[in-house]
Amino acid sequence: DKDTSGLMMVAKNDLAHHSLSAQIKAREVIKGYVAMVVGFLEPPEGVVDAPIARDPRNRKRMAVVIGGREARTRYRIFANLSGFNLVEVYLETGRTHQIRVHMAYLGHPLLGDVVYGRRSPLVDRHFLHANRLVFKHPSSGETMEFRSPLPDDLAGVVERLLRQPEGVGLSPAHVCMAPRGARNPWTRRD
């Protein structure tokens, strides 16, 4: 997705391409995202297991379609913010627009998603950020883990919602998805 920010894996040569492709096919690559959805997901943690294909009514969109390609998305809410859920999302498969389609299918589209939801005055794009990527180095086999903090526009949305009187009053440190002792991903590295 062109409006999704964050980490991306790129192969520098054929050997790396084959290795990374094999890891993706074997579902050995961990792809983690931060998303903000409209409303409150129930249950607060779960797996969406729903096939995805081209939307038969609109060929420019994807949709949950019987007979579509297998698609599994794990999610966990880690903050309720003024009518929105901040969600940690992991892909078990990698279909086009998978997170956006699955969240809309649950009735909770991504904040600002003009294709599967609606425009938002809070953000100029959909709220989706690839914040974690784990794979084995193609040459050495060493496990490589990369994290990316939220960009300024998305971090600003979180900070703005935290200040709302109907917000839950969490600080950005409380809604951090990093392991204990790790750096807070909501803050920028300069």
Side-chain angles (χ1 to χ4, degrees):
D1 292 347
K2 70 180 180 72
D3 287 332
T4 300
S5 56
L7 299 167
M8 186 169 45
M9 186 168 48
V10 178
K12 290 176 72 175
N13 55 48
D14 283 341
L15 172 71
H17 179 262
H18 291 298
S19 172
L20 296 172
S21 294
Q23 290 177 60
I24 290 168
K25 187 174 182 178
R27 298 186 180 158
E28 296 169 347
V29 175
I30 297 172
K31 298 173 276 187
Y33 295 80
V34 176
M36 187 171 293
V37 300
V38 177
F40 301 107
L41 286 163
E42 274 298 324
E45 186 172 338
V47 176
V48 183
D49 189 354
I52 293 177
R54 289 260 171 229
D55 186 334
R57 293 175 302 216
N58 181 348
R59 303 296 293 163
K60 293 182 180 179
R61 292 173 27 131
M62 305 302 284
V64 170
V65 177
I66 294 172
R69 296 182 69 195
E70 174 191 21
R72 288 177 52 90
T73 305
R74 288 186 294 123
Y75 71 88
R76 179 180 66 87
I77 296 170
F78 60 92
N80 296 321
L81 300 170
S82 302
F84 304 97
N85 282 150
L86 198 55
V87 185
E88 174 180 33
V89 183
Y90 284 93
L91 296 177
E92 292 184 14
T93 56
R95 306 293 171 233
T96 302
H97 298 178
Q98 180 173 321
I99 294 170
R100 297 167 65 196
V101 170
H102 276 169
M103 294 298 112
Y105 175 71
L106 294 178
H108 300 283
L110 299 185
L111 176 67
D113 191 338
V114 297
V115 175
Y116 301 101
R118 63 177 53 148
R119 201 171 304 283
S120 170
L122 294 172
V123 67
D124 292 332
R125 61 183 177 101
H126 56 255
F127 193 118
L128 185 60
H129 177 72
N131 75 319
R132 184 171 181 229
L133 188 58
V134 182
F135 58 92
K136 294 204 182 306
H137 190 280
S139 300
S140 70
E142 176 187 358
T143 298
M144 308 294 293
E145 179 169 1
F146 300 92
R147 289 188 181 263
S148 172
L150 283 178
D152 290 341
D153 63 333
L154 301 185
V157 171
V158 173
E159 290 167 12
R160 183 172 171 190
L161 292 173
L162 285 168
R163 290 192 303 267
Q164 297 277 331
E166 63 273 12
V168 294
L170 295 176
S171 71
H174 288 111
V175 294
C176 172
M177 294 185 327
R180 291 192 194 286
R183 204 182 137 286
N184 183 345
W186 301 121
T187 56
R188 299 280 304 174
R189 289 182 201 160
D190 293 320

